[in-house]
Amino acid sequence: MTPAYRLLLCGFLACALAVALLLLRVTAPYGRHARRGWGPAVPAPLGWFLMELPAPLLFGALVLWGEGPQDAPTWILLLLWEAHYFHRTFVWPLRLRGQRKPLPVLVMLMAIAFNTANAWLNGAWLGWMGPGYPEAWLLDPRFLAGVALFVSGYAVNQHSDRILLRLRPQGTQGYVVPHEGLFRWVSCPNYLGEIAEWCGFALAAWSLPALAFALWTAANLVPRAISHHRWYRRTFQDYPPERRALLPGVL
Ligand SMILES: NC(=O)c1ccc[n+]([C@@H]2O[C@H](COP(=O)([O-])OP(=O)(O)OC[C@H]3O[C@@H](n4cnc5c(N)ncnc54)[C@H](OP(=O)(O)O)[C@@H]3O)[C@@H](O)[C@H]2O)c1
């Protein structure tokens, strides 16, 4: 690890902590939490496409054109990352057509900065900065558990987002209480799935940049899940009282 890389990584980790503290006080102003005073906005599909694009492109380019994946675990980590980000960048925006709240340009720019830094740190690590993996890593319990956690989180995230996107009647911008799937137990299973995915990736990659990414994801999504949960309770008198924000029975 070069000194410059170490410095960037430390800065990235420190930002995750700062972001968590900030987002516990100020809810990111998009979706149901959109409000005046955050500048111009773009249509949600365009915003999501632009802000996610650096993640699959930069990460893929760095891993493939660094020294290239030299071992099977690196290929698998590349596949997991691209499976998530191909969907998020190219498929998710298409599914957002219709009555979606516009995305503030400021939120989009912050997400572009995050995705660029994150893709660079993780792509450079897998592409040439890190030590690579021995073939035996394929059977290491950390790798196997990490891949299983990623795949389960991916399935939960996709399934829960699919439920949410079907809730809104055509031509409306309102919200409906979800009851299907893991929504029976928590308000934000899509965020739970996303956090599980990147914790799984960090376990399988067993690297500091992947751990930093998992912490960033939690820093973003734990406060947002709490905000969503409070919003549901404020908005719907009959909101199921036993439902928690993110973790069944815990939070
Ligand atoms: N890795 C990260 O740091 C990170 C950060 C943010 C998001 N994400 C991921 O990106 C995806 C989308 O995030 P998000 O924050 O937009 O999620 P969200 O607030 O749950 O909304 C998802 C979509 O469903 C709609 N929706 C949500 N609840 C609804 C309800 N009760 N009734 C009707 N429609 C509803 C939203 O419409 P509106 O937009 O009009 O509210 C939006 O189009 C998730 O999978 C999340 O995990 C990841």
Side-chain angles (χ1 to χ4, degrees):
M1 197 187 292
T2 63
Y5 183 91
R6 188 176 297 123
L7 192 67
L8 264 172
L9 187 55
C10 290
F12 192 63
L13 273 164
C15 284
L17 183 65
V19 161
L21 294 175
L22 180 71
L23 291 179
L24 283 170
R25 302 181 123 250
V26 183
T27 305
Y30 73 95
R32 79 196 62 192
H33 306 291
R35 48 204 185 270
R36 287 175 187 278
W38 289 86
V42 290
L46 177 66
W48 276 92
F49 172 71
L50 292 177
M51 72 185 185
E52 300 298 319
L53 194 58
L57 290 191
L58 184 59
F59 180 86
L62 290 172
V63 177
L64 290 172
W65 290 312
E67 288 169 14
Q70 305 291 315
D71 49 65
T74 300
W75 276 111
I76 292 173
L77 292 168
L78 175 64
L79 184 77
L80 298 182
W81 180 290
E82 294 297 340
H84 175 92
Y85 276 114
F86 180 83
H87 174 267
R88 183 66 75 221
T89 308
F90 300 106
V91 181
W92 174 252
L94 296 176
R95 296 172 70 200
L96 290 180
R97 283 174 305 180
Q99 301 293 314
R100 302 288 156 196
K101 308 269 186 315
L103 192 73
V105 172
L106 189 64
V107 172
M108 186 185 80
L109 292 178
M110 287 193 291
I112 289 174
F114 163 74
N115 277 320
T116 304
N118 188 40
W120 191 83
L121 283 166
N122 278 284
W125 184 263
L126 286 183
W128 70 91
M129 193 81 70
Y133 301 92
E135 291 298 309
W137 185 248
L138 282 177
L139 294 177
D140 190 287
R142 289 166 289 183
F143 184 75
L144 294 173
V147 172
L149 187 58
F150 182 96
V151 172
S152 317
Y154 186 84
V156 167
N157 177 261
Q158 293 273 328
H159 182 239
S160 308
D161 274 342
R162 197 171 312 125
I163 291 171
L164 286 177
L165 291 185
R166 282 200 312 245
L167 282 177
R168 191 169 279 163
Q170 280 288 328
T172 66
Q173 272 206 340
Y175 293 88
V176 177
V177 176
H179 289 288
E180 286 177 61
L182 293 184
F183 285 99
R184 269 168 281 180
W185 294 286
V186 291
S187 297
C188 301
N190 53 340
Y191 294 167
L192 176 62
E194 179 107 17
I195 293 170
E197 273 180 66
W198 299 113
C199 287
F201 186 87
L203 194 56
W206 204 252
S207 72
L208 274 177
L211 174 66
F213 181 17
L215 292 175
W216 257 95
T217 305
N220 251 323
L221 297 183
V222 174
R224 193 162 181 83
I226 294 170
S227 301
H228 273 25
H229 187 62
R230 288 186 181 144
W231 178 93
Y232 272 123
R233 287 200 156 166
R234 266 199 321 272
T235 309
F236 298 100
Q237 301 302 320
D238 56 348
Y239 196 67
E242 71 287 353
R243 200 177 287 185
R244 310 303 286 260
L246 188 68
L247 269 182
V250 180
L251 174 70

